Amino acid sequence: MSATPITAANTSIVFTQLVTLLKAIFIRHGASPDVASVLADNCARAEQDGAHSHGVFRIPGYVSTLDSGWVNGQAVPVVEDVASGFVRVDAANGFAQPALAAARPLLVAKARSAGIAVLAIRNSHHFAALWPDVEPFAEEGLVALSVVNSMTCVVPHGADRPLFGTNPIAFAAPRADGPPIVFDLATSAIAHGDVQIAARKGERVPPGTGVDSLGQPTQDPKAILEGGALLPFGGHKGSALSMMVELLAAALTGGNFSFEFDWSNHPGAKTPWTGQLLIVIDPSKAAGQDFAERSQELVRQMHAAGLRRLPGDRRHRTRAKAEVEGIVLDGDELARLRKLAQG
Amino acid sequence: MSATPITAANTSIVFTQLVTLLKAIFIRHGASPDVASVLADNCARAEQDGAHSHGVFRIPGYVSTLDSGWVNGQAVPVVEDVASGFVRVDAANGFAQPALAAARPLLVAKARSAGIAVLAIRNSHHFAALWPDVEPFAEEGLVALSVVNSMTCVVPHGADRPLFGTNPIAFAAPRADGPPIVFDLATSAIAHGDVQIAARKGERVPPGTGVDSLGQPTQDPKAILEGGALLPFGGHKGSALSMMVELLAAALTGGNFSFEFDWSNHPGAKTPWTGQLLIVIDPSKAAGQDFAERSQELVRQMHAAGLRRLPGDRRHRTRAKAEVEGIVLDGDELARLRKLAQG
């Protein structure tokens, strides 16, 4: 996750231009203008932050999924006001991000009124990074936690066969003197996108991250992708957290578990059809000193203990650079994107 | 974590008798009858479940802490009804468990009404396992998540010096055909109690769990305890989760961070003076099939994937055995407990 250097083969594009280009691609492949706007902004933000595995790298997958008819790019999410702290959304077999966008004002209002609120999104496809879903809450002073399950590719600790998805957990909290504290971690030992990138580059993955089709440990990303599977991070603990994500993101939303959907009739489909949970807390309800001052104190002490880089720091630095210099893309990649917007 | 075999040197005690004995110890060392009841029940439950590092092993630490004047064994928690989903408790420099007990009816009522509720406990001492705090919610059909920060003994990933506590995360969810799904995991590579037990037994700890006073990796539990420190589980991911626990359990409650309290004037004090957060969700507000049926389906599929043992399984089996045969304690240990209740 870092800024791509400008070389002869690379080119720079302004954030808003990238959003416009991506939006045209989504519309060209069947998304409504509303859905296309949300997904284009989300994807461009990941690219801007140097999160390449969730940036324009994802566009061919989005396109083949839309073309396959697996997801409804025109879906209109249905928001349900269930209780003073509980919002449900039926994403109507569309993407999760437009569902979140549709429910967001109600979720924030409930969190500020009740002190905490939960958003349960079901019948949804999440094919993006998770931090863009939580970071904006922290930018308006709220604490946010989100989990999303995905598709069977992780062997539970102590099991023989894959069952869980990569099942990330993302968290964001405001702080007084800087951008929010944000992390987004796959509960698998490595993110699926990073395995794909390693395979494309011909690189090996770290030991302990995956097994081949016979269940044997491997560092070959292709062996993991072709019939193999990933392992949870941190042994039985990461596995327990991945199980929790299945329960929160699927059982508690009415969505599919990572092993429940069948896309075999939709060649080209890449997006898991599951659920997502968000919990948003208003820290102004807490006792004692202002939360953002307290989180700033924790950051101060983390630096004093010798920590040079906080979770999210690199993204925020890459973003600041991109805001001045533009987003650097490989020239061929940009040409392919332009073709997808037209062809 | 397993049942102690009955030998000539061991003896068996019925759960209620152990509670009575432990309650007498707490009262003898300055706890009020209410506080003593809650702590005795909590500690006996851990022992009954075979969670030895949080069972009667903890009693000398409780006693020396009470004797030191560090914690108020007579504290009466003050419950504050802040919003429709937010409850605060000032534990008044007492233990966290009586504070939870005092706030519990209001917390459950809010979770059932709002769909989700949060309990922020501050000014509290937590010296026990965390699963006894969440499991009872799942037994009445609710989903519960809790975090508690502790005392500086974990080096953040990438830092030079310890800062975080062992900062456990516990989760409980109901299921249709069996006891709740429950886990309780330290975000350190090993629980502090397990390091103490290894030191007492003269055993080594696994590689990657700690460093000595010079920051060098060690498997000697004494080197970890005497000036050394623990590492987070799972590298930067476990470290990020530990940071999240500091933010939720301290910054969001008004409690101390793990590095903020100073017990140097209270020799014998062992209990961290921090905060605890609980989030309780009512899954009956969710869309789709009954939550407990869905979690049962996940369990079924986990078993089908080859998983033999779920988180919590061993505890529940040990408990069932103890309910028939009693709780087996070392005879000397029981004698020491009886002395603490009288002397």
Side-chain angles (χ1 to χ4, degrees):
Chain A
M1 206 158 76
S2 59
T4 306
I6 300 188
T7 68
N10 289 342
T11 180
S12 167
I13 184 169
V14 172
F15 177 78
T16 52
Q17 287 178 333
L18 181 58
V19 172
T20 302
L21 172 60
L22 298 180
K23 184 176 173 184
I25 294 173
F26 284 116
I27 290 177
R28 174 71 189 74
H29 292 271
S32 68
D34 280 356
V35 168
S37 286
V38 171
L39 294 183
D41 183 83
N42 176 287
C43 184
R45 280 186 195 284
E47 190 66 37
Q48 177 183 235
D49 280 17
H52 300 302
S53 64
H54 291 87
V56 299
F57 171 76
R58 294 266 160 170
I59 292 298
Y62 274 117
V63 164
S64 68
T65 302
L66 283 162
D67 291 351
S68 78
W70 169 243
V71 66
N72 181 2
Q74 311 267 337
V76 178
V78 181
V79 178
E80 300 161 273
D81 185 341
V82 182
S84 68
F86 206 117
V87 184
R88 297 196 306 224
V89 195
D90 179 352
N93 193 33
F95 290 98
Q97 291 79 12
L100 168 56
R104 205 177 181 289
L106 184 60
L107 178 64
V108 168
K110 283 185 187 296
R112 292 207 188 278
S113 162
I116 187 170
V118 59
L119 174 63
I121 303 173
R122 69 185 185 277
N123 201 3
S124 54
H125 297 252
H126 202 291
F127 195 56
L130 199 52
W131 55 261
D133 297 355
V134 292
E135 189 168 288
F137 292 99
E139 283 166 350
E140 50 185 304
L142 300 166
V143 173
L145 181 69
S146 185
V147 291
V148 58
N149 64 321
S150 52
M151 59 187 175
T152 293
C153 63
V154 172
V155 183
H157 185 80
D160 306 319
R161 286 179 295 285
L163 184 72
F164 299 151
T166 52
N167 295 5
I169 300 173
F171 175 80
R175 67 172 165 128
D177 301 334
I181 302 172
V182 183
F183 67 77
D184 172 2
L185 57 90
T187 54
S188 52
I190 188 171
H192 209 261
D194 289 328
V195 181
Q196 293 169 48
I197 285 182
R200 181 193 271 195
K201 290 185 176 173
E203 292 172 354
R204 291 168 76 75
V205 295
T209 54
V211 293
D212 63 21
S213 60
L214 302 172
Q216 296 303 310
T218 182
Q219 289 184 252
D220 176 1
K222 286 184 181 159
I224 292 172
L225 294 172
E226 293 162 10
L230 302 174
L231 295 172
F233 92 98
H236 74 276
K237 294 185 181 185
S239 191
L241 292 168
S242 185
M243 178 191 72
M244 178 184 79
V245 173
E246 294 287 344
L247 289 169
L248 294 178
L252 201 57
T253 64
N256 289 319
F257 287 125
S258 294
F259 50 84
E260 285 185 319
F261 54 87
D262 175 12
W263 53 22
S264 58
N265 288 329
H266 297 270
K270 302 283 185 194
T271 60
W273 179 34
T274 59
Q276 178 181 8
L277 195 84
L278 286 103
I279 294 173
V280 179
I281 307 177
D282 178 2
S284 76
K285 299 287 191 293
Q289 202 185 346
D290 177 63
F291 179 89
E293 294 290 345
R294 293 288 287 151
S295 62
Q296 185 63 48
E297 170 62 8
L298 181 63
V299 168
R300 201 163 18 239
Q301 295 296 336
M302 287 167 73
H303 285 145
L307 199 75
R308 274 173 214 90
R309 193 159 60 82
L310 287 180
D313 268 1
R314 186 156 51 181
R315 277 197 306 100
H316 289 126
R317 275 204 302 273
T318 308
R319 184 187 307 173
K321 191 161 180 279
E323 280 167 358
V324 175
E325 301 175 7
I327 300 165
V328 180
L329 290 179
D330 177 273
D332 290 345
E333 185 141 49
L334 188 58
R336 278 194 298 271
L337 292 175
R338 291 203 163 119
K339 204 170 163 194
L340 282 173
Q342 296 154 358
Chain B
M1 205 157 76
S2 60
T4 306
I6 300 189
T7 67
N10 288 342
T11 180
S12 167
I13 184 169
V14 172
F15 176 78
T16 51
Q17 288 178 333
L18 181 58
V19 172
T20 302
L21 173 59
L22 297 180
K23 185 176 172 183
I25 295 173
F26 284 115
I27 290 176
R28 174 72 189 76
H29 292 272
S32 68
D34 281 356
V35 168
S37 287
V38 172
L39 295 182
D41 183 83
N42 175 286
C43 184
R45 280 187 194 284
E47 191 66 37
Q48 175 183 238
D49 280 17
H52 300 302
S53 64
H54 291 89
V56 300
F57 171 75
R58 293 266 159 170
I59 293 297
Y62 274 117
V63 165
S64 68
T65 301
L66 283 161
D67 291 350
S68 77
W70 169 242
V71 65
N72 181 3
Q74 312 266 338
V76 178
V78 180
V79 178
E80 301 160 274
D81 185 341
V82 182
S84 68
F86 206 116
V87 184
R88 295 195 308 223
V89 194
D90 180 351
N93 194 32
F95 290 100
Q97 290 79 13
L100 168 56
R104 204 177 181 289
L106 184 60
L107 177 64
V108 169
K110 283 184 186 295
R112 293 208 188 276
S113 162
I116 186 168
V118 59
L119 174 63
I121 303 173
R122 68 185 185 279
N123 201 3
S124 54
H125 297 251
H126 202 292
F127 195 56
L130 199 52
W131 54 261
D133 297 355
V134 293
E135 189 168 286
F137 291 100
E139 284 165 350
E140 50 183 304
L142 301 165
V143 173
L145 181 69
S146 186
V147 291
V148 60
N149 63 320
S150 51
M151 60 188 175
T152 293
C153 62
V154 172
V155 183
H157 185 80
D160 307 318
R161 286 180 295 284
L163 184 71
F164 300 151
T166 53
N167 295 5
I169 300 173
F171 175 80
R175 67 172 166 129
D177 300 336
I181 302 172
V182 183
F183 66 77
D184 173 2
L185 57 89
T187 54
S188 51
I190 187 170
H192 209 263
D194 288 329
V195 181
Q196 293 169 49
I197 285 183
R200 181 192 271 194
K201 290 185 175 173
E203 293 172 353
R204 292 167 75 76
V205 295
T209 53
V211 293
D212 63 20
S213 60
L214 301 173
Q216 296 302 310
T218 183
Q219 289 184 254
D220 176 2
K222 285 185 182 158
I224 292 171
L225 295 172
E226 293 161 11
L230 302 173
L231 295 172
F233 93 97
H236 74 276
K237 294 185 180 184
S239 191
L241 292 167
S242 185
M243 177 191 72
M244 179 184 78
V245 173
E246 294 287 343
L247 289 169
L248 293 178
L252 201 56
T253 65
N256 289 321
F257 287 124
S258 294
F259 50 83
E260 285 186 318
F261 54 88
D262 175 12
W263 53 22
S264 56
N265 289 329
H266 297 270
K270 302 282 184 194
T271 59
W273 178 35
T274 59
Q276 178 181 9
L277 195 85
L278 286 103
I279 294 172
V280 179
I281 306 176
D282 179 2
S284 76
K285 299 287 191 293
Q289 203 186 345
D290 178 63
F291 179 89
E293 294 290 345
R294 293 289 287 152
S295 62
Q296 185 63 48
E297 169 63 9
L298 181 63
V299 168
R300 201 163 17 241
Q301 295 296 337
M302 286 166 73
H303 285 144
L307 200 74
R308 275 173 214 89
R309 194 159 59 81
L310 287 180
D313 268 1
R314 186 155 51 179
R315 277 198 305 104
H316 290 124
R317 275 205 301 273
T318 307
R319 184 188 307 174
K321 192 161 180 279
E323 280 166 358
V324 176
E325 301 176 8
I327 301 165
V328 180
L329 290 179
D330 177 273
D332 291 344
E333 185 140 50
L334 187 58
R336 277 195 297 273
L337 292 174
R338 291 202 165 118
K339 203 169 162 195
L340 281 173
Q342 297 153 357

